[in-house]
Amino acid sequence: MNGITQPIFKGIMIIFLVFQFFTAKCQLIEKTNQNELDILLKSAGDNRQEIENFLNYYRERDTIKYKAAIYLVKNLEFHTHCNTIVYQNNPLANIVGIADSLYFNLIKGKTLEEIKSKSITDSLKKLNLDIDKILKEQSFANLEIGFEQEDQSPALENITTDFLKSQTENAFKLRDNIDMVKNLKFNNFCEYILPFQSVKGRNISRNGEELNNFFAKYLPTVNKENIPLVVNHLGITINNLRKILGKYPLEYRLGFEELFFTGVPQWDCFDLSNYETVILNAIGIPTATEYNVAYKMLQGKHSQCSILEDVGYYNLFALEGAITTPQVKPSSFENYDGWMNIHRKHYSKQKDSPFFLKGDSEIIPEDFSSPLIEDITSMRMQTTTITLPFKFNTTNNLAYLGTFNSSSDIIPVTWAKINKKNKSIEFDKIIPDRIYFPIYYNGNSMQSFGAPFIIRIDSTQQNKYVVQKFDSDKRGKKIKSYIFNKYPRKPKMLEVARDLIGTVVLGSNQSNFKEKDTIYTLDVELIPYLQDLNLNNNTAYRFYKVEAPKEHHRMNLSEIQFLTSNEYNYKNVTAPTPLPILSFENSRKSPENLIRVLEDSLQKINKWPEYDGKMTTAPSAYGSVTLKLKAPQVITHLRVAPLNEDNGIVIGDNYALFAWRKNKWEHIETLEADKNFLFNENLYNNELYWLKNLTKGKEELPFFIDKNGKQTFIYLD
């Protein structure tokens, strides 16, 4: 070959070989897909023909839809589904249909503001009365015979060809008509528009086409620019239908109708987020379900919805809760109300989930047992990475980081693979200012493999953070310690106390306070206990008003007692609630001659939040509290407390104190409190402690003792 033809020939050969390679690779992928499908089809049992009919329908008709059909089927094994045939023509569905028709005729053509108007609200009440009559006349006895408690059988065994076809056709109709769906990567389209379920076991009996037909008529045109508006309309639609339909009349789920009722048995945020996610996907808004299994400070877990990042960054939201509409966030990180690690529920298998990473006989925590979960904390919050030594022999592949939980001591919140060669583990989703306990499982038993730690952000350090460890082997010296709380004051409660500064006490002999005297102005921040305010008053008034500042006009005093000297010999009096004992010297001891003045019987006024003796209640809906006396009397003091969590030491309650030693909580002592604090001479500086109230309450948080003997919670209060 000459100098020109030889390079051309080589180029042709390279192209040919590349073509051959990709052809072989495609054939291998096709063969792998077919092998997976064959295995799945065997698992379908008697339902195999339904699955095959679905796949065959698209195999020759449409290559792209066939790929989507394979995606649906390949992941069916990890989903459940309720048998929709059982639920046809049930009376409750007919009643929901009537409510749907009546409500649509009521709000058709109206703006969002008009739908929120009083006239619509009044109409909803009338419709509720009409529907309530139908529900009372309807017998559900026959319905109960034909139903089982929400069928949890595998989707492979009962899902139908028609259901899957309708689901697929609706998804592609959205792809053809909505730009933001059309612009999704195909995998994201399959993951966030195509699925019929978001949370395994929380079954929805309606397919995407049926959901779209039901809800689309209530919603504005779906596009990338009006996502919050569409979600707002959806929330109002569901809530207004609930106002019409009222309380759910059955003891079991039907798979759709329960969404429009209140009082559904065992209904929780995971049910709601599942419905909301599937509905939003069915109308063309790519949505996922995300959840946490623990909070930084609070108890419990929570599930919410998230809009796929491909169409914009929004915060998490749910139709029930503080944030009911997705809001555009200027930053990709926020606090999420103190959530611990955040996980996303997928339709497809997640190869990095503990389900797939674990060893053959390895036990994994129940919260992480699903093959469909992903830790997406780094998408929502600032995170960092830490490598921990792991020197234990185990057949396990995984270890975890847990966080404190007063009910179960420690609860796992994220996972990582054990590097057995290097005897270490790299955790890459660590949230700063959160306590983590390194743990792994020995059979069913949770074991610790390192000291609890908190990463604190510190810009002066080379790594921009410091690691605060609570290593009992490196604890400090014994120190005399005073313990006042089992839990720190929450930021909201601190704000409440600050907002009360400027509260005034007014005295008047006119009930309208047209003529009045200001006899006291609060200029200090109240502590979360009862305390006396000296009014320096010796004038008798018939009416006394305690009024919150105008800029924070909410009466957030949990307790108000009007006191005077017993020297006045008033008859409408009783003993005041004792002040707390906050020191051995009891420096806050009340003057012995103070007596409480009553405007009515204790039996009557004890029902009012300002007089009920509960620190966790206050007349916050009002801006003031007024004492109305039958005749003028002198009030010299107020005994008050700001609204608070009542997390201090309560006299008469029993407490158990624990220390984190030798990788576990070690019991130190149990005692009954005889003061509003506990005193101990044998605690150590920088050792981790936990005070548990055995009498009542569940909110508790670890703390340590600083070098001055002060109780300091792990999250600074």
Side-chain angles (χ1 to χ4, degrees):
M1 294 184 183
N2 59 39
I4 297 175
T5 58
Q6 189 171 0
I8 295 174
F9 176 76
K10 286 183 177 179
I12 292 172
M13 287 300 296
I14 290 171
I15 293 171
F16 175 76
L17 291 172
V18 169
F19 175 77
Q20 289 287 89
F21 171 78
F22 280 107
T23 300
K25 186 175 181 181
C26 290
Q27 290 173 345
L28 180 62
I29 291 172
E30 180 66 27
K31 185 177 180 180
T32 302
N33 280 336
Q34 191 58 51
N35 289 340
E36 284 188 57
L37 287 174
D38 289 341
I39 294 171
L40 284 170
L41 289 171
K42 288 179 182 178
S43 301
D46 294 339
N47 201 50
R48 176 172 183 154
Q49 193 61 53
E50 291 288 327
I51 308 297
E52 287 185 330
N53 289 345
F54 169 62
L55 292 173
N56 290 336
Y57 179 82
Y58 290 112
R59 191 189 305 269
E60 302 299 332
R61 284 179 171 84
D62 192 311
T63 303
I64 299 299
K65 288 183 179 179
Y66 180 58
K67 285 178 65 177
I70 290 175
Y71 193 95
L72 269 179
V73 171
K74 281 177 64 176
N75 293 286
L76 277 178
E77 64 175 312
F78 296 114
H79 289 275
T80 56
H81 188 60
C82 44
N83 187 344
T84 55
I85 296 174
V86 178
Y87 300 111
Q88 291 175 355
N89 301 317
N90 71 73
L92 201 61
N94 296 334
I95 292 169
V96 170
I98 294 170
D100 175 33
S101 178
L102 292 172
Y103 179 62
F104 182 66
N105 288 329
L106 176 66
I107 60 93
K108 184 178 180 180
K110 289 183 170 56
T111 65
L112 189 63
E113 290 307 312
E114 289 172 333
I115 294 172
K116 292 179 178 179
S117 67
K118 185 178 184 300
S119 63
I120 295 294
T121 303
D122 292 341
S123 297
L124 295 176
K125 292 178 182 177
K126 293 177 182 177
L127 290 176
N128 172 252
L129 294 175
D130 295 336
I131 292 292
D132 191 52
K133 289 179 182 177
I134 298 174
L135 284 168
K136 287 178 179 177
E137 293 170 358
Q138 178 66 59
S139 171
F140 294 103
N142 294 331
L143 182 65
E144 293 196 30
I145 295 172
F147 283 80
E148 296 180 2
Q149 185 79 12
E150 193 184 2
D151 190 355
Q152 298 288 332
S153 58
L156 271 172
E157 297 177 7
N158 63 21
I159 204 162
T160 65
T161 301
D162 289 342
F163 186 95
L164 291 171
K165 280 171 59 180
S166 293
Q167 187 73 24
T168 305
E169 290 301 316
N170 181 71
F172 277 91
K173 183 179 178 181
L174 298 172
R175 195 168 187 249
D176 291 338
N177 292 285
I178 299 176
D179 286 340
M180 69 174 168
V181 178
K182 187 184 304 181
N183 294 331
L184 290 175
K185 295 175 182 177
F186 187 70
N187 268 6
N188 282 343
F189 165 75
C190 290
E191 186 66 33
Y192 300 104
I193 296 294
L194 185 63
F196 61 89
Q197 185 180 76
S198 171
V199 181
K200 178 184 176 182
R202 313 279 175 141
N203 298 327
I204 298 178
S205 62
R206 300 297 190 267
N207 60 51
E209 183 179 26
E210 292 171 312
L211 294 173
N212 190 300
N213 290 340
F214 187 98
F215 289 104
K217 62 182 180 287
Y218 291 110
L219 309 175
T221 302
V222 175
N223 57 55
K224 188 174 180 178
E225 285 67 41
N226 72 346
I227 288 173
L229 182 63
V230 174
V231 176
N232 202 349
H233 272 273
L234 176 63
I236 289 171
T237 300
I238 293 172
N239 286 329
N240 283 350
L241 284 170
R242 286 176 176 177
K243 290 175 183 177
I244 294 172
L245 286 160
K247 188 175 181 181
Y248 191 62
L250 302 174
E251 294 300 319
Y252 45 85
R253 313 282 184 85
L254 297 178
F256 179 63
E257 287 75 19
E258 62 267 23
L259 176 63
F260 306 107
F261 289 84
T262 59
V264 179
Q266 286 83 50
W267 182 268
D268 62 23
C269 57
F270 285 84
D271 291 297
L272 184 66
S273 60
N274 182 42
Y275 271 99
E276 191 170 0
T277 295
V278 173
I279 292 168
L280 290 173
N281 289 341
I283 62 172
I285 299 178
T287 308
T289 297
E290 295 179 8
Y291 70 103
N292 64 323
V293 298
Y295 287 93
K296 173 182 176 180
M297 296 172 68
L298 304 176
Q299 297 297 304
K301 57 181 70 175
H302 189 48
S303 177
Q304 289 186 291
C305 297
S306 67
I307 303 297
L308 185 64
E309 293 72 22
D310 285 14
V311 299
Y313 182 80
Y314 295 85
N315 63 345
L316 300 183
F317 65 97
L319 293 182
E320 297 170 358
I323 302 175
T324 57
T325 305
Q327 300 169 357
V328 179
K329 304 304 293 182
S331 168
S332 59
F333 298 126
E334 63 172 51
N335 184 40
Y336 285 97
D337 296 326
W339 282 33
M340 291 299 296
N341 291 64
I342 302 176
H343 311 287
R344 176 172 289 182
K345 289 183 176 289
H346 287 268
Y347 176 75
S348 63
K349 296 172 279 193
Q350 300 301 301
K351 295 300 184 181
D352 288 331
S353 67
F355 181 92
F356 290 108
L357 295 176
K358 70 181 181 69
D360 292 338
S361 59
E362 181 175 351
I363 302 296
I364 55 178
E366 183 179 354
D367 286 323
F368 297 151
S369 61
S370 169
L372 310 174
I373 62 171
E374 176 190 10
D375 188 326
I376 53 94
T377 309
S378 298
M379 291 169 54
R380 297 282 174 231
M381 290 185 276
Q382 180 182 3
T383 58
T384 189
T385 299
I386 190 170
T387 300
L388 301 177
F390 187 86
K391 300 178 180 179
F392 297 86
N393 292 321
T394 179
T395 58
N396 292 355
N397 291 338
L398 296 171
Y400 302 85
L401 291 179
T403 197
F404 175 79
N405 183 282
S406 61
S407 299
S408 57
D409 300 352
I410 298 172
I411 183 169
V413 294
T414 189
W415 64 87
K417 284 195 71 173
I418 301 169
N419 187 328
K420 295 180 180 178
K421 181 179 179 181
N422 295 335
K423 296 188 179 297
S424 65
I425 309 172
E426 181 179 273
F427 292 95
D428 61 355
K429 295 179 177 65
I430 311 300
I431 311 169
D433 197 32
R434 305 287 198 271
I435 192 165
Y436 287 102
F437 292 76
I439 55 175
Y440 73 105
Y441 281 82
N442 183 6
N444 287 311
S445 176
M446 182 189 296
Q447 305 288 329
S448 176
F449 68 88
F453 67 90
I454 300 176
I455 288 183
R456 310 278 192 190
I457 297 298
D458 187 343
S459 59
T460 65
Q461 301 296 316
Q462 184 177 356
N463 292 332
K464 304 303 180 185
Y465 66 80
V466 294
V467 180
Q468 181 180 9
K469 288 188 176 182
F470 300 97
D471 190 340
S472 59
D473 292 334
K474 299 178 181 178
R475 63 192 181 192
K477 298 178 180 179
K478 282 187 180 181
I479 191 167
K480 294 181 180 180
S481 310
Y482 294 83
I483 301 172
F484 290 94
N485 304 89
K486 63 186 180 71
Y487 191 85
R489 293 178 72 184
K490 298 174 185 174
K492 181 64 177 177
M493 293 296 99
L494 289 167
E495 182 182 339
V496 162
R498 288 191 291 268
D499 288 348
L500 284 168
I501 295 175
T503 296
V504 296
V505 181
L506 308 175
S508 179
N509 286 309
Q510 299 175 343
S511 60
N512 61 6
F513 283 81
K514 193 170 184 179
E515 293 183 6
K516 60 184 180 296
D517 295 323
T518 300
I519 57 179
Y520 182 84
T521 300
L522 180 67
D523 58 1
V524 295
E525 184 177 321
L526 298 174
I527 62 173
Y529 299 93
L530 282 172
Q531 58 224 274
D532 283 350
L533 306 178
N534 189 346
L535 306 183
N536 292 313
N537 175 53
N538 53 19
T539 302
Y541 298 96
R542 189 180 169 197
F543 304 99
Y544 290 85
K545 180 185 288 187
V546 184
E547 184 157 18
K550 290 182 179 179
E551 58 270 28
H552 304 291
H553 205 55
R554 295 177 295 277
M555 184 39 59
N556 281 323
L557 288 173
S558 63
E559 187 71 6
I560 304 173
Q561 297 184 12
F562 295 87
L563 309 183
T564 191
S565 171
N566 59 12
E567 295 176 357
Y568 288 106
N569 293 317
Y570 296 141
K571 303 300 182 184
N572 55 322
V573 296
T574 189
T577 304
L579 288 173
I581 303 173
L582 299 174
S583 70
F584 285 113
E585 295 78 21
N586 194 16
S587 60
R588 303 189 63 83
K589 187 175 181 181
S590 173
E592 293 180 0
N593 65 335
L594 286 183
I595 201 77
R596 180 181 176 186
V597 176
L598 303 176
E599 63 178 292
D600 212 322
S601 68
L602 278 174
Q603 184 178 7
K604 180 178 179 180
I605 68 173
N606 278 353
K607 299 176 183 178
W608 304 346
E610 62 267 35
Y611 302 138
D612 63 4
K614 299 176 182 177
M615 293 290 184
T616 55
T617 61
S620 304
Y622 305 96
S624 63
V625 167
T626 301
L627 176 71
K628 302 173 183 178
L629 299 169
K630 295 177 181 178
Q633 292 180 304
V634 177
I635 300 298
T636 63
H637 293 75
L638 288 187
R639 185 159 293 181
V640 298
L643 182 67
N644 66 88
E645 307 96 328
D646 195 21
N647 64 338
I649 306 301
V650 179
I651 295 175
D653 281 5
N654 291 304
Y655 294 87
L657 182 63
F658 300 88
W660 184 261
R661 294 173 183 170
K662 297 179 181 179
N663 291 333
K664 63 180 182 179
W665 289 112
E666 181 180 303
H667 178 258
I668 301 298
E669 63 176 349
T670 297
L671 70 165
E672 180 181 317
D674 59 0
K675 301 177 181 62
N676 295 102
F677 66 91
L678 303 177
F679 176 73
N680 195 302
E681 296 186 86
N682 297 306
L683 303 188
Y684 292 85
N685 168 236
N686 202 42
E687 187 170 54
L688 198 62
Y689 296 102
W690 166 27
L691 182 68
K692 188 172 185 64
N693 188 326
L694 302 175
T695 304
K696 62 176 180 292
K698 62 180 182 179
E699 286 191 322
E700 295 145 8
L701 196 69
F703 60 90
F704 58 94
I705 306 299
D706 70 11
K707 60 183 180 181
N708 298 315
K710 179 185 176 184
Q711 180 189 21
T712 305
F713 285 96
I714 54 172
Y715 304 132
L716 305 179
D717 54 332

